[in-house]
Amino acid sequence: MKILKRLFISLLLLIVAGACAGLWLLYGSKTSNPHNYATVGDIPTPWGYERMDGGDAAYSRYLRSLSLKKKGTKVQLFTGGEAHFQSLCYAVVDLPLLSNAEQCADACMRLRAEYLFNTRQYGKIHFKNVNGKTMRYGGGSSRKSFERYMRNVYGVASTFSLSRELERRSLKDMQPGDVFVYAAVDRPGNHKYGHAVMVVDVARDKHGHKAFLLAEGNTPARDIHVMRNFTNPFRSPWFMLDEDAGNLLLAVFHYKASELRHF
């Protein structure tokens, strides 16, 4: 009788724990920034992992310093109103959009350019347009000139130009600031649009396994946001890296390993 009682209590505890875990996951998948983190760097790493810098430690620190909007904030469209598919967003980055043309590739260029502008590396701010012509920034410390330059870039650059401009990086060498990008012309079939997402943080465990955070913009123009990992909700928003993978499912987007690139 005592054994049956203990088994019943154990089963009941398992049911309660499972229900609590289910509610926690449901809440976390419906609410942006559920723990009200202030910055990307405040998002805790998976257990046993530590953050790592890339070749440019200052760039890594800048991306981690990106401010996040408060818990429950919705991803807003530039034209007003809430974007569809809010569940894709783990947390909204507190960075106002510059135009209705600031979409996925533009968001990656924006984050890169903001780092260079904020660290006064003005001469390094340049991007190529779809015709391969380099567009250089020449406005110095003027915020107004910088934003005007970025709006001009948005109008003539795309996933096509970004994928051609950036250099390939192997998965095993992934660093903060890298970009997953493909252009529509690189995908045979019915792909009308390309897509780009930025690696904004990377962590590593003692065995060398890596986890990473992603941020994206999208079409139509909307707030840049940290992406949620649906395939591993207990690790979300961290994505666990398989260095030997030929293809990766990142939220709802499929990428080839060869589509990881860097500035």
Side-chain angles (χ1 to χ4, degrees), residues 143-155:
R143 183 71 193 180
K144 185 176 181 180
S145 295
F146 172 74
E147 293 184 358
R148 182 170 58 248
Y149 164 81
M150 292 307 300
R151 284 191 288 269
N152 290 336
V153 168
Y154 297 160

Side-chain angles (χ1 to χ4, degrees), residues 18-72:
C20 290
L23 289 172
W24 179 81
L25 286 174
L26 179 63
Y27 172 76
S29 68
K30 297 295 184 182
T31 305
S32 73
N33 198 4
H35 304 290
N36 218 21
Y37 300 123
T39 68
V40 169
D42 290 332
I43 299 173
T45 63
W47 186 85
Y49 284 72
E50 294 184 358
R51 284 180 159 88
M52 56 170 285
D53 293 331
D56 187 342
Y59 190 20
S60 299
R61 290 194 295 271
Y62 172 76
L63 292 172
R64 290 176 187 138
S65 73
L66 290 171
S67 297
L68 302 176
K69 293 187 178 182
K70 64 181 182 180
K71 178 173 69 175

Side-chain angles (χ1 to χ4, degrees), residues 62 66-67 69 93-97 102 110-111 114 143 223-224:
Y62 172 76
L66 290 171
S67 297
K69 293 187 178 182
V93 176
D94 192 4
L95 191 65
L97 295 171
E102 188 174 303
R110 172 79 182 281
L111 292 176
E114 287 284 355
R143 183 71 193 180
D223 292 327
I224 298 173

